Amino acid sequence: MNVTLTINGLTTQACFPRKDIDQLHLPLLQHFSALQRQQNRPLIVFLVAPPGTGKSTLSAFWQKLSCEMPELVPLQTLPMDGFHHRNDWLDARGLRQRKGTPETFDLAKLRDALLALREPGSRWPEYSRTLHEPVEEAISVTAPVLIVEGNWLLLNEPGWASLSALCDVSIFIEADPDILHRRLVERKIRGGLSPQQAEDFYAMTDGPNVMRVLEHSQLADIRLKMATDNGYQKSDL
């Protein structure tokens, strides 16, 4: 199934195998809908994965499906990127080049925002790819099912480990590090870096982030695996 999705304000094309839609994506969304109706309050789902797994594309696809199928409860994606510290804060601590690591996020602000999702009328920050800064209260939270997606939401390290108590369902996407290496380097080359620059960036930033997510995340309620064809398989459900 070929789809057009809007991710971080940009339009992108994606393809999801029909078999995956019928056997994985729709059953998951039906599961979320049933839980939300049972609880009769916002359902908070953590979608966690290392860089390069396509989690933003996946959550945008889930949002599209939920809005097009009347039997599903509407779903909204809330990216974690809006909780980056501002660049002046990062510069003062020498962290600008490490942007994207757990240390560059405002953990207290993220925790408060997750708690606020239980109440109506909450808002969520958004990361501007133009300004390269977070924009406060840019997203109005309206859907009954909320997919909070990011790399570090299940990080089993001090401070971060307590976040898992703030979600109703957690999902983790496993992936082969070698596949992620190739995908992330190719992404940087498409973005304008030379092959050597892309490899250097992977060695300095993306590679350590990939392994930190894979090796230091808490066990999720649902585990998926990124397949070699860029689809996904169930590890358990």
Side-chain angles (χ1 to χ4, degrees), residues 6-28:
T6 300
I7 303 171
N8 296 323
L10 302 175
T11 300
T12 186
Q13 304 296 317
C15 182
F16 291 86
R18 186 76 244 180
K19 181 182 72 171
D20 285 6
I21 295 173
D22 294 337
Q23 298 181 7
L24 176 63
H25 302 301
L26 284 178
L28 271 177

Side-chain angles (χ1 to χ4, degrees), residues 92-111:
R93 293 158 178 81
L95 290 173
R96 175 86 78 102
Q97 296 304 313
R98 299 183 62 197
K99 202 169 189 177
T101 63
E103 295 75 20
T104 64
F105 285 90
D106 189 333
L107 178 56
K109 180 180 168 185
L110 173 60
R111 184 182 295 109

Side-chain angles (χ1 to χ4, degrees), residues 122-137:
S122 65
R123 301 191 69 87
W124 193 262
E126 183 175 50
Y127 188 80
S128 169
R129 303 295 168 181
T130 303
L131 301 174
H132 302 288
E133 294 273 21
V135 179
E136 302 301 329
E137 299 188 348

Side-chain angles (χ1 to χ4, degrees), residues 18 26 29-30 64-73:
R18 186 76 244 180
L26 284 178
L29 298 184
Q30 290 162 354
K64 178 180 174 66
L65 281 180
S66 76
C67 293
E68 292 178 349
M69 307 190 71
E71 68 271 24
L72 296 176
V73 171

Side-chain angles (χ1 to χ4, degrees), residues 15-185:
C15 182
F16 291 86
R18 186 76 244 180
K19 181 182 72 171
D20 285 6
I21 295 173
D22 294 337
Q23 298 181 7
L24 176 63
H25 302 301
L26 284 178
L28 271 177
L29 298 184
Q30 290 162 354
H31 178 57
F32 300 157
S33 293
L35 285 177
Q36 193 281 324
R37 290 181 177 120
Q38 180 182 13
Q39 295 181 173
N40 195 31
R41 61 167 174 78
L43 183 82
I44 300 174
V45 179
F46 281 2
L47 177 62
V48 181
T53 51
K55 62 185 176 300
S56 297
T57 301
L58 177 60
S59 59
F61 178 59
W62 286 352
Q63 181 169 315
K64 178 180 174 66
L65 281 180
S66 76
C67 293
E68 292 178 349
M69 307 190 71
E71 68 271 24
L72 296 176
V73 171
L75 175 155
Q76 183 176 10
T77 296
L78 301 174
M80 186 181 137
D81 287 353
F83 293 93
H84 272 108
H85 281 291
R86 301 190 68 81
N87 288 329
D88 56 358
W89 189 97
L90 298 174
D91 289 338
R93 293 158 178 81
L95 290 173
R96 175 86 78 102
Q97 296 304 313
R98 299 183 62 197
K99 202 169 189 177
T101 63
E103 295 75 20
T104 64
F105 285 90
D106 189 333
L107 178 56
K109 180 180 168 185
L110 173 60
R111 184 182 295 109
D112 288 345
L114 289 168
L115 288 168
L117 291 179
R118 301 294 187 191
E119 303 299 326
S122 65
R123 301 191 69 87
W124 193 262
E126 183 175 50
Y127 188 80
S128 169
R129 303 295 168 181
T130 303
L131 301 174
H132 302 288
E133 294 273 21
V135 179
E136 302 301 329
E137 299 188 348
I139 300 172
S140 177
V141 179
T142 58
V145 176
L146 303 170
I147 305 290
V148 183
E149 60 102 344
N151 299 328
W152 310 113
L153 293 165
L154 291 176
L155 187 63
N156 194 17
E157 295 183 10
W160 291 89
S162 62
L163 292 184
S164 60
L166 304 181
C167 74
D168 299 296
V169 181
S170 58
I171 302 172
F172 188 86
I173 302 175
E174 303 168 335
D176 184 329
D178 291 336
I179 295 175
L180 296 181
H181 180 182
R182 184 181 70 250
R183 285 168 61 106
L184 289 164
V185 167

